[in-house]
Amino acid sequence: MERPGPSEVTGSDASGPDPQLAVTMGFTGFGKKARTFDLEAMFEQTRRTAVERSRKTLEAREKEEEMNREKELRRQNEDIEPTSSGSHVVRDGSKSSSRDTSSSESEESSGSSDDELIGPPLPLKMTKEPSNHIEEDILGPLPPPLYEEVEEDDDDDGDSEEEENPVQKIPDSHEITLKHGTKTVSALGLDPSGARLVTGGYDYDVKFWDFAGMDASFKAFRSLQPCECHQIKSLQYSNTGDMILVVSGSSQAKVIDRDGFEVMECIKGDQYIVDMANTKGHTAMLHTGSWHPKIKGEFMTCSNDATVRTWEVENPRKQRSVFKPRTMQGKKVIPTTCTYSRDGNLIAAACQNGSIQIWDRNLTVHPKFHYKQAHDPGTDTSCVTFSYDGNVLASRGGDDTLKLWDIRQFNKPLFSASGLPTMFPMTDCCFSPDDKLVVTGTSVQRGCGSGKLVFFERRTFQRVYEIDITDASVVRCLWHPKLNQIMVGTGNGLAKVYYDPNKSQRGAKLCVVKTQRKAKQAETLTQDYIITPHALPMFREPRQRSTRKQLEKDRLDPLKSHKPEPPVAGPGRGGRVGTHGGTLSSYIVKNIALDKTDDSNPREAILRHAKAAEDNPYWVSPAYSKTQPKTMFAQVESDDEEAKNEPEWKKRKI
């Protein structure tokens, strides 16, 4: 049987795909022939188009260069007077030769460009050279044209202006206020990504704030008291952002996760051991703590037991190492603050005698640097922090000063600023993200002015800027490098966030644009019940019934419908004891059910029932009726009979 040719096809095959088949398959394009693409032809067409564009561009630029040369020659001719006709001939010859060479070069370049150049035209800067210097085999897009020299100069001037004035980079145009409580906000912590803020205060509370999930009401999504009745002194997120170090007034630091659940608690040491290096933990109140910037799970704390200890989250039963600050005479001294260097190799601590001591992290015996008179003795240095380049250390002293130190030459301070009052043992100082500014806060008495955030330029240490925060002290300050926002904790229970819509990223910008959500009344008035119709009867929840039916059912129950007896007033009666309290005597009276209603002679009360018991014995008498002797009771004599029967010697005596 012969197969029909293309011209012999009839029916739906001749007209196109079967419409019934397309409906059956569910889409109209079923059965159509797919388009075919000749990739070689497309590449060849693209190559020819690119070569043609390159050739036209080069020809136009060569013409422009030739016109520029002619203009230059004309200017030279106008400036220099003609001396001889020979010179004109030479010039004409030079012109003609230049034209010939340029035309020959253009022909060669156009011929070579037709064979070799592929892609978009060359930028202006790269085509100022002669055409015979163009690189061969240029494929793909070329680099963008370079900026003109004038524009580069303008940009350099702008950069230099910004470098000269770092105050313009301070993000203080807008602010939001977070209400922590009524007492001092003594701790601030922001995770590395800048998504969550955690605050702690003198009211023992730790509150969590989520910028992405918070609206314009600025309410914390979680509040807890991880250390019960101890003031929170320091909060810090780990370098991975999954844990928070909580340092309070107790001797045991805690680590909680992002949601507030406890991860570990440091062990408490033995306070009766003389050498603090031989005990497993702190024995006195903590001051502050800090995470290691590189190693996950390692942190450091300092305490009133005159030690600085490093810990590991995986081993809460014992510290990793112990550093013991000493005076120049070898006596113990209490560290008030501590921190890691940016690379984590150094540990710095400031002590109550005014000294600053720096150790190598792996050598706990002797400090690497020791400056004994960094601040006034007896004043608590509240903060030490390293710059981002790791070469400069800033210290905030209790003597109302802020000092900068170069750890490469740790023999004297680089700069010192005074007149910065502080009244809190955790007043902060920090560096700006570009390391050009140093920031700290000032304290004021209540009702005696406003606390300020003061900015110093690092190079000259001049007081370049101030921000009036509120009518209370500025305790904590934090400048986040990614968000470019400044967080401030104050003495009246507020946490403020300063930002600039143009210079800052995310953070407070995410929540200020959200409108405050209204509470749904339906959710507050009604209670949802989960209905599980297919559960077993023993696991089903009791359905809620109306109170009217329940009352009717209770009325039919004789026990539930019985009227309760009123409380007994007075000493009590009928076997019920009055409410005398919880004494032992009242308890005994209640248990023996003493009835005080019958005040008669107890003997007469018993004999009152003797006649009935004798006539109708019921309990004991029938059992002993045959063997029991007859009961005889003694007769009671009167007073006259007793007087007659008295002996003579008693009468004589009377």
Side-chain angles (χ1 to χ4, degrees), residues 244-315:
I244 304 172
L245 174 62
V246 182
V247 177
S248 64
S250 67
S251 60
Q252 297 172 271
K254 284 188 178 182
V255 176
I256 59 177
D257 61 6
R258 289 176 61 88
D259 296 323
F261 298 102
E262 183 175 326
V263 177
M264 64 88 71
E265 183 179 16
C266 298
I267 191 173
K268 185 176 181 180
D270 189 352
Q271 58 185 349
Y272 297 104
I273 295 179
V274 177
D275 189 0
M276 287 290 105
N278 294 330
T279 186
K280 297 180 179 180
H282 287 294
T283 61
M285 179 184 69
L286 299 177
H287 286 291
T288 187
S290 177
W291 286 99
H292 194 283
K294 302 293 183 182
I295 301 175
K296 180 181 178 181
E298 181 179 331
F299 62 93
M300 169 179 54
T301 55
C302 65
S303 169
N304 262 357
D305 61 2
T307 60
V308 177
R309 300 174 191 260
T310 59
W311 304 81
E312 292 177 347
V313 176
E314 294 79 9
N315 185 19

Side-chain angles (χ1 to χ4, degrees), residues 44-268:
E44 182 64 22
Q45 182 65 25
T46 305
R47 190 188 69 82
R48 290 178 181 176
T49 304
V51 169
E52 184 67 21
R53 289 181 179 177
S54 300
R55 186 179 62 79
K56 290 181 179 180
T57 304
L58 290 174
E59 288 180 356
R61 289 173 182 169
E62 287 174 358
K63 288 181 180 180
E64 291 180 359
E65 290 178 358
E66 187 176 352
M67 293 176 64
N68 293 331
R69 289 174 185 171
E70 290 180 356
K71 289 180 180 179
E72 290 178 359
L73 290 174
R74 288 176 184 174
R75 290 175 183 174
Q76 291 177 0
N77 292 334
E78 291 176 357
D79 294 339
I80 302 174
E81 294 182 357
T83 54
S84 62
S85 60
S87 63
H88 290 286
V89 174
V90 172
R91 288 196 188 97
D92 295 338
S94 64
K95 287 182 181 179
S96 61
S97 62
S98 64
R99 289 175 183 174
D100 295 338
T101 55
S102 63
S103 61
S104 61
E105 289 175 355
S106 64
E107 290 176 358
E108 292 175 359
S109 62
S110 63
S112 61
S113 63
D114 291 340
D115 298 335
E116 298 173 358
L117 288 180
I118 296 175
L122 295 173
L124 295 174
K125 277 281 185 180
M126 298 182 67
T127 56
K128 289 185 179 180
E129 299 177 356
S131 61
N132 55 357
H133 294 291
I134 298 176
E135 296 181 358
E136 298 180 356
D137 300 333
I138 299 178
L139 299 175
L142 294 173
L146 301 176
Y147 294 103
E148 297 295 333
E149 295 179 356
V150 178
E151 295 179 358
E152 290 179 356
D153 295 339
D154 295 340
D155 294 341
D156 294 339
D157 295 339
D159 295 339
S160 62
E161 289 179 359
E162 290 184 357
E163 289 179 357
E164 292 176 357
N165 191 7
V167 179
Q168 296 179 357
K169 298 182 180 180
I170 299 176
D172 65 331
S173 61
H174 295 69
E175 67 173 284
I176 64 172
T177 302
L178 307 178
K179 181 69 175 177
H180 174 85
T182 58
K183 296 186 178 181
T184 301
V185 177
S186 56
L188 283 177
L190 197 61
D191 66 342
S193 63
R196 285 187 178 182
L197 174 70
V198 59
T199 60
Y202 280 4
D203 55 358
Y204 321 134
D205 289 337
V206 173
K207 293 190 177 182
F208 293 79
W209 316 79
D210 190 355
F211 289 118
M214 191 166 50
D215 57 8
S217 61
F218 306 133
K219 292 183 179 179
F221 72 91
R222 182 165 291 119
S223 177
L224 52 94
Q225 292 184 354
C227 301
E228 297 178 350
C229 57
H230 293 285
Q231 295 177 351
I232 307 300
K233 294 195 171 185
S234 176
L235 293 171
Q236 187 180 5
Y237 275 90
S238 62
N239 53 358
T240 55
D242 58 344
M243 293 180 290
I244 304 172
L245 174 62
V246 182
V247 177
S248 64
S250 67
S251 60
Q252 297 172 271
K254 284 188 178 182
V255 176
I256 59 177
D257 61 6
R258 289 176 61 88
D259 296 323
F261 298 102
E262 183 175 326
V263 177
M264 64 88 71
E265 183 179 16
C266 298
I267 191 173
K268 185 176 181 180

